[in-house]
Amino acid sequence: MPGLATAIPAPYADLVERMATADADLRVALRAHGLTWEEYPDLTGAARERGAAAALAYPMQGVLKYHGLSDWDYRIAFLPSVSLCNDAGHTLTLVEFDPDLATDCATINGHVARGRELERVRQSLDAIRAASGATVRARVMSRNVTRGTRMGKGLGSSAAASAALALAAIAALYGDEAAANRRLVSCMARLLAGSGCRSAAGGCSIWFSSPGMPHEDSFAVRLDDAGQLDDVRLITVPLDSRIGLKTEQAHLDAPGSALFRCWMLSRRDEALACIAAARTGDWRTLGQWAELDSMRLHGITMSGSLENKLIGWEPENIVLFRMCNDLRSSGVPVYCSTDTGPTAVFITHRDYEDAVVSAIEGLGLSLEAIRGRVAGPARLVDVAWARGELGVAD
């Protein structure tokens, strides 16, 4: 796996060099800000025959979004992206490698995983095993938790699940030293859901990605490493998709949009702006880009097919975006962000949190408003505690 170049879709082959140059510029900018990352480790012969570990990770909300995968097996995106982890929910995952198991198995949110759901879990486990040539099978138990009454579509729970799975599996198979390598965890967290690499990193993080990028070079780095965004508040309004929206369909459709190339080519300068904003605590710039890119994301996704338009928003979204315009006009700085689905996250300062919640409640739409903050990285938790939370017998 290390050093292996990933796929380059033919329609975008002419942009590979430009996107690689943009990626190099972003890495230079991070180093100029004093940010560093580890070498990708060699895990040959490091696997244990048996092990268990548990991890907790948070969902993320995109600032600079992404749709479309240049390589589906390694889940490499066409462009870099930035997000904020959101403590409105979390995923708790327990992984047990057991030589007595004949095959991998998983229980997710209380039901036995089958089909595509189990296949994606196995793909992540296979990649983690392949790093050392291990063959031992695993038992996975995972649960998504929200501080509200429902998850909604677009909260970013798949990213949290991907990060928690990767961290727990690495710790269970290779131990705490390997699990402390943020680059390794982020790379592996990308393999179930691309944004999982940013959930693994935590806070406001940037994901390095471009067509053809090797697996070990596509990972996320946290930008706010000194409490720069401690005063930011994230207010989540969970909304369900009435069409049963699937993120994988959005990834398929988006690269077909005539707008997609422009989105790729504008990303370098926008990412540099977000890096500078996160480093200085300029939350308004992050909010402005999150709101703008929410609209561009949906425009690109909706224009990816001539025949069947993938319309991910619900009527409530239009009301909520207009509400933000009205609030800003009255002196309340707040920005509305959506990812693939209709769930909305409002980015504001703690001084304006009550005003934003009051405005949401005042719409008369019976919307739930979950108050939250920017969350940290995926972390290991006590296995016995995780067993209790997941209802697993010893």
Side-chain angles (χ1 to χ4, degrees):
M1 183 183 293
L4 177 66
T6 56
I8 299 172
Y12 293 94
D14 62 313
L15 297 185
V16 168
E17 185 174 347
R18 292 177 69 176
M19 296 306 292
T21 299
D23 174 77
D25 291 344
L26 297 180
R27 294 177 196 245
V28 167
L30 263 62
R31 291 190 177 100
H33 281 286
L35 295 170
T36 60
W37 44 90
E38 303 95 331
E39 293 295 321
Y40 194 87
D42 181 357
L43 296 174
T44 304
R48 304 189 290 197
E49 182 179 351
R50 182 188 299 271
L56 185 150
Y58 297 96
M60 59 78 233
Q61 179 61 210
V63 174
L64 296 179
K65 327 281 185 174
Y66 95 98
H67 267 167
L69 293 165
S70 61
D71 189 305
W72 279 80
D73 291 334
Y74 287 99
R75 300 194 83 85
I76 302 291
F78 284 88
L79 71 174
S81 52
V82 176
S83 65
L84 297 166
C85 278
N86 181 357
D87 73 357
H90 67 263
T91 298
L92 176 63
T93 301
L94 172 66
V95 177
E96 299 173 333
F97 285 96
D98 184 346
D100 295 329
L101 288 175
T103 187
D104 295 320
C105 56
T107 301
I108 300 173
N109 294 324
H111 72 268
V112 176
R114 294 184 174 86
R116 177 61 177 157
E117 188 175 44
L118 179 58
E119 179 188 355
R120 292 178 69 181
V121 172
R122 282 177 173 161
Q123 286 173 340
S124 293
L125 294 172
D126 283 344
I128 292 167
R129 284 185 288 246
S132 66
T135 59
V136 62
R137 299 300 157 184
R139 181 184 302 107
V140 176
M141 288 140 284
S142 186
R143 178 173 296 158
N144 296 326
V145 178
T146 175
R147 293 198 289 107
T149 60
R150 56 179 172 163
M151 295 296 293
K153 172 59 180 173
L155 177 60
S157 57
S158 61
S162 190
L165 173 64
L167 179 56
I170 290 168
L173 191 60
Y174 298 113
D176 290 350
E177 183 177 349
N181 187 304
R182 296 167 298 172
R183 179 173 178 173
L184 172 66
V185 174
S186 185
C187 284
M188 294 301 184
R190 195 190 69 239
L191 299 178
L192 189 148
S195 293
C197 69
R198 290 187 261 100
S199 283
C204 180
S205 59
I206 184 168
W207 169 16
F208 300 127
S209 194
S210 65
M213 182 175 289
H215 160 76
E216 71 272 17
D217 289 337
S218 185
F219 56 93
V221 176
R222 184 171 183 174
L223 303 173
D224 59 319
D225 61 349
Q228 295 97 323
L229 301 177
D230 285 354
D231 289 335
V232 171
R233 296 296 180 265
L234 304 177
I235 301 164
T236 302
V237 176
L239 294 169
D240 294 324
S241 170
R242 295 181 176 93
I243 63 169
L245 180 65
K246 300 296 183 184
T247 302
E248 297 222 333
Q249 186 60 50
H251 287 316
L252 284 167
D253 282 11
S257 171
L259 307 175
F260 195 80
R261 294 172 71 90
C262 292
W263 201 38
M264 290 176 65
L265 293 174
S266 67
R267 185 51 57 93
R268 172 193 176 274
D269 291 347
E270 296 165 2
L272 288 172
C274 286
I275 290 167
R279 296 298 291 163
T280 59
D282 179 7
W283 69 270
R284 290 195 190 197
T285 292
L286 295 174
Q288 288 165 352
W289 282 114
E291 187 171 274
L292 176 60
D293 219 34
S294 298
M295 298 179 183
R296 294 191 299 193
L297 177 80
H298 282 266
I300 289 165
T301 304
M302 288 188 289
S303 58
S305 169
L306 285 172
E307 184 67 22
N308 297 307
K309 309 301 185 293
L310 189 62
I311 301 170
W313 281 343
E314 297 296 339
E316 293 89 341
N317 289 113
I318 304 302
V319 176
L320 292 169
F321 278 113
R322 287 175 174 165
M323 183 197 78
C324 271
N325 274 339
D326 293 341
L327 285 172
R328 288 196 294 268
S329 296
S330 67
V332 177
V334 59
Y335 304 91
C336 182
S337 178
T338 59
D339 286 343
T340 302
T343 290
V345 176
F346 295 87
I347 303 169
T348 191
H349 187 276
R350 65 179 184 180
D351 292 346
Y352 302 98
E353 178 181 3
D354 289 344
V356 175
V357 171
S358 178
I360 294 169
E361 293 173 345
L363 293 172
L365 298 177
S366 300
L367 299 175
E368 184 176 18
I370 305 170
R371 299 172 185 250
R373 304 177 65 170
V374 177
R379 67 181 191 272
L380 294 174
V381 297
D382 181 72
V383 170
W385 175 81
R387 287 180 182 277
E389 292 293 304
L390 294 166
V392 178
D394 289 332

